[in-house]
Amino acid sequence: MLQSSRRKRGFTLIELLVVIAIIAILIALLLPAVQQAREAARRSQCRNNLKQLGLALHNYIDTTSGVIPRGVNHYDATSCCCETDNGNYAYTIHTMLLPYLDQTNLYNKINFSVDPQNAANAEVRRTKVTVFMCPSAIVIDDANYAQHNYPTASANHGYGLCGRHGSDTTNGIFASRWGMTDDATGAVYAPQMRLRNVTDGTSNTISFSEFAKGLDYVLPTSHKNNMGRSWFDPAVGYGNIGFSTRTISTPNNPVPTYSTTINWGTVGSAHTGGVHCGFMDGAVRFISSNIDGRQWQALCTPMGGEVVQVP
């Protein structure tokens, strides 16, 4: 008996190209959605990091009877006012929060009898702390320092962290001015910041915001990889521990804030459109890069006396 057989037919070249084109289109459609989902997860983690910092800060303040420390714990000022150290053993607020962030073991390794630059603290200087790092930000490894992405609300100065600059109504809650004395006269520039002095309200006062390495808004661009260079050592760059509360230092703004080429204290992030900000009440809000400069400064100051609507 004869059996009829049919020849199996494969894909033609045209059909194969059509299938490949369809797959390519599907991938092109899916990739942005995947990237958006990943960035949404990273933004959520960034907000959570700032919430942890806020909670740690309040736990720390409970141990100081309401005293809010400076972003960097130096306590006097010479005739020049931009030292981050002044010869004092200047440790950062990030350092002091370690025990409240499940980092007691790291805290116990610090030799507080010497300064942060001392070789005895080299291991700590190089240790990355996950809660200090935004997952959206570029990580640019440094042989000597571990970066961070969450600076403190500091001075009304283009450098952000800058000695006795600013005033009671223009400086941030971690500014060096609060309680600082003139080492020549002993005069106190401003009262020590305490929780009861946050007269603008804790829900209207920013505590931490964002820095991110590698952003082109930083001027000069040769400095862009130094933003937030070290959470531990305040003396490795002005764009490091504190951000500027100036009206022209709005998020991701490339406008020079100190000279014609420098904006080292201006906040910025890898998130599209603005930066996350932690507030003194523990809330975290996303602040647009388009915020008005006067509103930005009002949110950055604890006792500016402004009436401000949090965006």
Side-chain angles (χ1 to χ4, degrees):
M1 178 189 237
L2 295 176
Q3 292 182 345
S4 62
S5 62
R6 292 183 180 179
R7 184 178 180 183
K8 291 184 178 180
R9 179 176 174 273
F11 286 111
T12 66
L13 179 60
I14 293 176
E15 290 171 333
L16 185 60
L17 291 174
V18 168
V19 171
I20 292 172
I22 292 173
I23 293 173
I25 291 171
L26 289 174
I27 292 174
L29 291 173
L30 287 173
L31 274 179
V34 171
Q35 291 297 331
Q36 288 176 6
R38 288 177 176 173
E39 172 56 14
R42 290 191 289 261
R43 287 170 72 116
S44 178
Q45 182 59 51
C46 181
R47 289 193 297 270
N48 185 59
N49 288 347
L50 284 164
K51 282 183 177 293
Q52 290 188 59
L53 287 177
L55 179 60
L57 175 62
H58 276 274
N59 286 335
Y60 178 73
I61 292 173
D62 284 344
T63 69
T64 66
S65 300
V67 174
I68 298 173
R70 304 172 188 86
V72 173
N73 191 32
H74 57 114
Y75 52 83
D76 60 9
T78 61
S79 57
C80 176
C81 47
C82 281
E83 302 92 343
T84 58
D85 183 300
N86 288 345
N88 311 146
Y89 292 153
Y91 283 89
T92 69
I93 182 59
H94 300 74
T95 299
M96 307 316 293
L97 293 183
L98 289 176
Y100 307 93
L101 295 165
D102 295 326
Q103 295 291 331
T104 301
N105 290 339
L106 180 60
Y107 182 84
N108 289 338
K109 292 181 180 180
I110 300 170
N111 186 342
F112 284 102
S113 65
V114 296
D115 62 42
Q117 300 89 36
N118 192 283
N121 288 316
E123 179 185 353
V124 178
R125 281 199 304 271
R126 292 192 294 263
T127 302
K128 293 177 182 177
V129 180
T130 302
V131 73
F132 293 155
M133 300 176 69
C134 170
S136 293
I138 299 171
V139 177
I140 300 176
D141 288 323
D142 189 308
N144 299 307
Y145 304 100
Q147 74 183 62
H148 74 95
N149 299 113
Y150 303 121
T152 63
S154 292
N156 179 40
H157 188 280
Y159 283 153
L161 184 71
C162 207
R164 63 192 188 193
H165 275 290
S167 69
D168 293 3
T169 59
T170 61
N171 274 350
I173 200 162
F174 289 105
S176 298
R177 183 181 178 89
W178 306 113
M180 178 183 282
T181 59
D182 186 322
D183 60 3
T185 67
V188 178
Y189 293 112
Q192 176 65 53
M193 180 51 62
R194 297 175 181 271
L195 200 57
R196 66 170 181 261
N197 294 340
V198 186
T199 53
D200 289 349
T202 56
S203 62
N204 293 324
T205 303
I206 294 173
S207 54
F208 294 90
S209 188
E210 294 191 76
F211 277 159
K213 289 189 176 186
L215 300 182
D216 289 335
Y217 87 87
V218 179
L219 303 175
T221 55
S222 59
H223 186 79
K224 66 182 181 180
N225 290 340
N226 289 331
M227 301 298 283
R229 188 179 179 192
S230 175
W231 60 264
F232 180 72
D233 187 349
V236 295
Y238 292 110
N240 184 32
I241 293 299
F243 68 83
S244 175
T245 62
R246 299 191 77 186
T247 57
I248 56 175
S249 296
T250 51
N252 298 304
N253 194 338
V255 173
T257 56
Y258 177 66
S259 69
T260 58
T261 59
I262 293 173
N263 67 342
W264 292 349
T266 301
V267 296
S269 80
H271 311 301
T272 301
V275 295
H276 288 114
C277 291
F279 284 73
M280 283 301 296
D281 65 349
V284 177
R285 300 178 179 86
F286 192 75
I287 303 299
S288 170
S289 299
N290 296 321
I291 188 173
D292 176 76
R294 291 166 298 179
Q295 188 179 26
W296 170 250
Q297 185 173 81
L299 291 174
C300 290
T301 55
M303 47 192 299
E306 313 95 342
V307 177
V308 61
Q309 182 68 39
V310 179

